Amino acid sequence: MTASRQKRNAWLKKLAGLADGADKAQEDLLMGIYQARQDGVSYADVAYGIGDKSPSGIPAKVEKGRAVLEKRKGGTE
């Protein structure tokens, strides 16, 4: 069974919107990690808060969050 052109286009539009939302949510999470570390929250507490098993990956996420925040402050999203 194949979907009509209208259904397919509607779903493509919906899926693209969901994917964009997921990308924004991931960037928001990275910014939150960066901001939590700026407020003095430990790597272990950040890892626990986001459900990571180990705090060893948090420093990389902090840097990515800093980059996202700088990008957004610059007005280019």
Side-chain angles (χ1 to χ4, degrees):
M1 175 184 210
T2 60
S4 68
R5 181 179 19 243
Q6 291 84 4
K7 278 188 181 181
R8 184 179 64 86
N9 288 339
W11 273 108
L12 290 176
K13 184 177 178 180
K14 181 174 182 170
L15 292 171
L18 291 169
D20 288 344
D23 291 343
K24 185 177 182 322
Q26 181 63 33
E27 286 184 349
D28 290 346
L29 176 61
L30 291 171
M31 280 186 359
I33 291 168
Y34 170 73
Q35 291 168 333
R37 286 294 299 145
Q38 292 299 302
D39 278 345
V41 179
S42 72
Y43 289 124
D45 287 340
V46 170
Y48 179 80
I50 64 171
D52 275 2
K53 293 181 173 76
S54 171
S56 64
I58 300 302
K61 289 179 172 117
V62 169
E63 286 305 310
K64 288 178 183 177
R66 181 188 57 74
V68 169
L69 187 63
E70 286 179 5
K71 180 179 87 168
R72 288 188 181 179
K73 279 185 177 179
T76 57
E77 186 168 2

